[in-house]
Amino acid sequence: MGNVLNKLSDASQSLRGRKRKRDETDGDESGNDSDLLDQSLHGPKRKKLTSTAKYIYQALFKEERNSDITVHALGKHWHLHKVYLSQSPYFASMFNGSWREADKDYVHIEIIDPKITLESLYSVFGSLYMDEVVLDPKEIVSTLATATLFQLDGLIDRCAEVMVETTCADTAVLYYEAACEYGVKRVKQFTFGWLLVNLLNICRKKANTLRLISVELMEQLITSADLYVMQTEFYLYTLLRYWMTLKLFPANLTTPSAPVTGETENDPMREKYFIERTSAVPFLRTPEGAPFERVFRALRLRYLLNHHVDMRVLREDNIIPSDWLHEPLLEQWNSILSVDMSLEKEIKCDEQTFLESCMRCGRILPESVTQKWRWTGFHYGLDLMLFSDSRTLRIKRHHRTEHERLLSLQVKRQFMIRISLASLNELGQIKHEQKTAIQTISLEKNEETILAVYDRALTFPMLICVNMMLVSPPEKRERRKLPQLVDDEVAECLGQDEARARSERSSGCSNAPHTPAADATRSSNTIPERSLELVEVPVPSGSVLRERVAWVNDS
């Protein structure tokens, strides 16, 4: 019984202790509430009267009350107020300077920019009476043009924000041209970047968008090393062919639905015009094709010659003159010989040369699953396979003797490579982009290495663009112009005899009679005959060729 009473006593004491603690806590909280109440009662409060701006806009702009200036533009009279118009440097200098309109209540503005409309004037004038502006993307270019005319930098910045947010296939080219015209650098850079990523991804499916691209803009895109080339360089050639047809025949806006295969009979982008054209003159040498020459010059021609089907299509199209391909073919053949003789031990080039000369190829990875692929064509004896999974991108030098293709037998092969990866939103804008540095990689037969570990921010579908340099780039040589020995006009004026004499003097020849002394002099200046002998030259290991010979001088 005593134990029970002791427990009850302890419990009652603990309850009284808890009650005291709660009472103390409640007292503190009530004190804090009182302090906060005092602060809230004695501190000033700032609230915005939204109705003020609305009243000014309604009464002064829309109802035109108490107007002190009439602005006449595009056939409409606007009854406005100098104090509000003076927010624009254009009007401020007009009203406060030495202009004749400074003391007048009427101003006539001659609008010569066709992009400025009545709607854009209404929007821009109204923005001077409000602390916010509603910008319609459909009228944003006109609004930008009007804001530029009146030098409203704040409104120009708001237009730029809207243009960046709404850049897509339907607006990218229009926004780019407007940004160039009105000097909005941010929009120009953003839209150009959008076109670099989507030219062969989205724009090729949008005939209206593709047709709007000017020759100057297309040349810049094709030249850029950051262009996301889908498939190979030949795929880019077929896009230019389609683009050129749209520029020549604007009514022909049929968009190909199937991918380009390169096959003559199955290629939906192989336009009927070039198939049926019978002239032997390459199209770029005709008056119709001359404006497009600079764009096709921007192609990396040596990478159009890696597949026999591609070369057949180039001949049948007869767009590019064949003499354009002579130098790339010589460069290709020289590189093949260098690889065959194991002279390509190391690829040396700086970053700029790499970006200007590298092979460009790419593809779309639709989902996060293991995938493997190769780009077809002759790659100097390298069969490179790429592997992608959910986290990494890898490359392998595939070497299997049962494949019927020419493969380099060298133990190690070196190449340079750069990877660009991009995830896009529904408008085609980059959500996240990842670029690797230019890497120099050496692989043995069937060796594999990691090219990139995907950033966690990358999502699928994902665009991948690969820039590769498999052999050393060709050296840049200046063309030597042969001297003209006989000028046609000189020959006509001076007569054939004197012209012939001048030609002989310029070439070091003379009509002097042949004498034994002269013969001896000429004999001493001529190259002596050399005895040539056929000898064997050791062939480096790993060479495709098994026997080589060279002519040498036995002296």
Side-chain angles (χ1 to χ4, degrees), residues 78-114:
W78 311 79
H79 302 288
L80 305 172
H81 306 79
K82 289 184 177 181
V83 65
Y84 287 101
L85 290 179
S86 294
Q87 298 175 77
S88 160
Y90 178 89
F91 287 108
S93 62
M94 179 186 295
F95 298 147
N96 300 322
S98 58
W99 290 28
R100 63 182 181 181
E101 291 86 357
D103 300 325
K104 295 185 177 182
D105 58 1
Y106 176 86
V107 174
H108 175 70
I109 300 177
E110 187 70 27
I111 304 293
I112 60 175
D113 189 342

Side-chain angles (χ1 to χ4, degrees), residues 31-43:
N32 293 335
D33 292 341
S34 177
D35 294 339
L36 292 174
L37 181 61
D38 291 340
Q39 294 177 5
S40 64
L41 291 176
H42 295 287

Side-chain angles (χ1 to χ4, degrees), residues 171-279:
T171 61
V173 180
L174 295 175
Y175 287 176
Y176 176 84
E177 299 293 348
C180 292
E181 183 175 356
Y182 301 112
V184 188
K185 186 177 180 180
R186 177 188 175 190
V187 176
K188 179 181 178 181
Q189 292 176 342
F190 187 85
T191 52
F192 188 79
W194 188 96
L195 290 168
L196 285 176
V197 174
N198 292 288
L199 180 64
L200 287 101
N201 175 35
I202 296 177
C203 292
R204 75 175 190 87
K205 305 173 185 177
K206 299 277 189 178
N208 283 310
T209 300
L210 201 59
R211 180 175 55 85
L212 293 176
I213 298 178
S214 65
V215 171
E216 294 76 13
L217 175 55
M218 184 63 82
E219 182 185 14
Q220 294 178 42
L221 292 170
I222 300 302
T223 306
S224 176
D226 295 322
L227 178 66
Y228 275 68
V229 173
M230 296 294 100
Q231 302 302 331
T232 62
E233 193 81 13
F234 187 78
Y235 194 74
L236 186 55
Y237 163 79
T238 58
L239 176 82
L240 290 185
R241 184 179 60 196
Y242 178 51
W243 164 77
M244 183 168 61
T245 304
L246 293 177
K247 302 289 280 187
L248 292 169
F249 309 104
N252 181 21
L253 294 180
T254 304
T255 302
S257 57
V260 177
T261 62
E263 295 290 345
T264 303
E265 60 274 10
N266 298 325
D267 189 348
M269 294 178 70
R270 187 178 172 86
E271 279 60 53
K272 186 178 180 181
Y273 174 79
F274 296 108
I275 295 177
E276 296 180 349
R277 184 171 171 269
T278 57
S279 174

Side-chain angles (χ1 to χ4, degrees), residues 23 29 56 64 100 132 332 515 535 538:
D23 293 342
E29 291 179 353
I56 292 173
E64 301 179 341
R100 63 182 181 181
E132 63 180 10
Q332 294 283 67
T515 63
V535 299

Side-chain angles (χ1 to χ4, degrees), residues 375-390:
W375 287 286
T376 59
F378 181 70
H379 297 145
Y380 306 99
L382 282 176
D383 182 16
L384 297 175
M385 295 188 64
L386 281 87
F387 301 83
S388 174
D389 53 32
S390 59

